[in-house]
Amino acid sequence: MPHRPKVIIGNWKMNKTIAETKSFVAGLALAAKESAFQIGLAVPFTMIDTAAKTAEGTVIRIGAQNVADRDEGPYTGEVSPKMIQDAGASFALIGHSERRRYFREDDAIVNRKIKGVLKIGVQPVCCIGETQEERQSGQAYSILKRQLLHGLDGLEKEDVASLIIAYEPVWAIGSHQVATPEIAQETHAFCRSVIKEKWGQQVADRLVIQYGGSVNPMNAAALLAEPDIDGLLIGNASLSLEAFTNIVLLHV
Ligand code: 13P
């Protein structure tokens, strides 16, 4: 069995203030010392600097929730890969379903963003997932395959092995309708097979694939116990220090 780290990332979405960020990260740092997992927090742009400074000297990594698909220039309101890195982000969520849905990000944009961050050594967490209708009509795997092959198009083996894929079924996000460990495991195994077909066994064995969607302290352990689930991307439950701490302190 290939050994992959288990990675737990909190995605705060559009929540929290700078003061709340400081106390949350300081509190999490205590639990992080005892955790068996790699831990990250994807925070709003305005909190990256504070979160990264508070996390200094701990194992907690700070990331952005989005990034521009260009390097610099006249793009009012955008934040570049270099800017998030400069502020202290070592990873960036890319192609989250909320960005695909509300901000019309497509696979081509996702692909440009992934290449943009990889170029400067920021780790992409590429989010993919099917909608309820797509699953019910039997299209889930073809959608996921398209998102993977188009999103990662043109990447070298080493780059693919170094990034994280987050499988987040749209129907499970913020819905209290978590995927069963069986469905999540089966879907992760499918995603890994797509990667193997295109980039080879070694890359597929190394690639970290996280699950996201209505994860909480009650259901996290069963998901983490599955062989192809290499971690969790957590929205709502990452806003509560108590809930998030309970997850990072699980023994699986
Ligand atoms: P919830 O955990 O709130 O369902 O959100 C999942 C998610 O979108 C993480 O990126």
Side-chain angles (χ1 to χ4, degrees):
M1 266 278 287
H3 182 75
R4 289 182 294 272
K6 299 251 185 203
V7 184
I8 308 236
I9 295 178
N11 172 12
W12 282 355
K13 308 192 179 183
M14 201 168 71
N15 293 288
K16 295 206 186 285
T17 62
I18 288 180
E20 287 165 349
T21 299
K22 276 187 197 160
S23 70
F24 187 103
V25 176
L28 181 62
L30 300 174
K33 284 190 203 157
E34 316 292 325
S35 174
F37 307 116
Q38 294 187 7
I39 302 172
L41 274 181
V43 303
F45 290 131
T46 51
M47 265 86 91
I48 294 175
D49 179 67
T50 303
K53 284 188 176 130
T54 314
E56 245 167 45
T58 78
V59 296
I60 303 167
R61 295 173 64 209
I62 302 302
Q65 298 171 6
N66 179 32
V67 69
D69 63 344
R70 335 198 154 198
D71 294 337
E72 64 180 346
Y75 304 106
T76 302
E78 289 296 285
V79 181
S80 75
K82 272 205 180 115
M83 289 168 176
I84 61 165
Q85 186 179 50
D86 189 38
S90 64
F91 69 91
L93 306 187
I94 293 179
H96 190 281
S97 70
E98 286 150 17
R99 301 230 40 101
R100 293 180 192 254
R101 178 168 172 203
Y102 303 123
F103 304 97
R104 304 211 188 125
E105 287 192 11
D106 59 18
D107 295 327
I109 296 175
V110 168
N111 184 252
R112 284 203 296 279
K113 292 184 174 190
I114 289 178
K115 287 177 173 160
V117 298
L118 277 172
K119 208 162 56 180
I120 61 162
V122 169
Q123 182 182 38
V125 178
C126 172
C127 305
I128 59 170
E130 81 285 358
T131 62
Q132 179 95 283
E133 300 76 59
E134 288 162 348
R135 181 157 282 268
Q136 279 168 352
S137 61
Q139 290 174 276
Y141 283 7
S142 65
I143 296 289
L144 293 168
K145 186 170 183 178
R146 190 207 73 213
Q147 290 177 343
L148 283 168
L149 294 181
H150 291 195
L152 307 183
D153 185 45
L155 297 194
E156 299 295 335
K157 285 184 175 192
E158 203 45 46
D159 286 333
V160 177
S162 75
L163 52 75
I164 294 178
I165 297 294
Y167 168 57
E168 299 204 297
V170 179
W171 46 269
I173 295 178
S175 65
H176 303 290
Q177 207 192 322
V178 65
T180 62
E182 293 73 27
I183 286 181
Q185 163 58 28
E186 195 183 288
T187 311
H188 282 224
F190 170 76
C191 293
R192 204 178 298 287
S193 76
V194 171
I195 298 295
K196 179 184 154 189
E197 208 175 300
K198 172 97 191 198
W199 286 278
Q201 182 80 55
Q202 284 188 344
V203 173
D205 282 348
R206 282 170 59 196
L207 181 69
V208 169
I209 308 181
Q210 293 180 309
Y211 168 81
S214 294
V215 174
N216 63 36
M218 309 295 284
N219 59 31
L223 290 158
L224 286 167
E226 295 292 340
D228 283 291
I229 302 183
D230 310 314
L232 303 168
L233 184 54
I234 302 172
N236 208 32
S238 76
L239 295 174
S240 150
L241 180 58
E242 191 189 351
F244 196 58
T245 300
N246 284 339
I247 297 173
V248 304
L249 290 178
L250 284 170
H251 294 280
V252 181

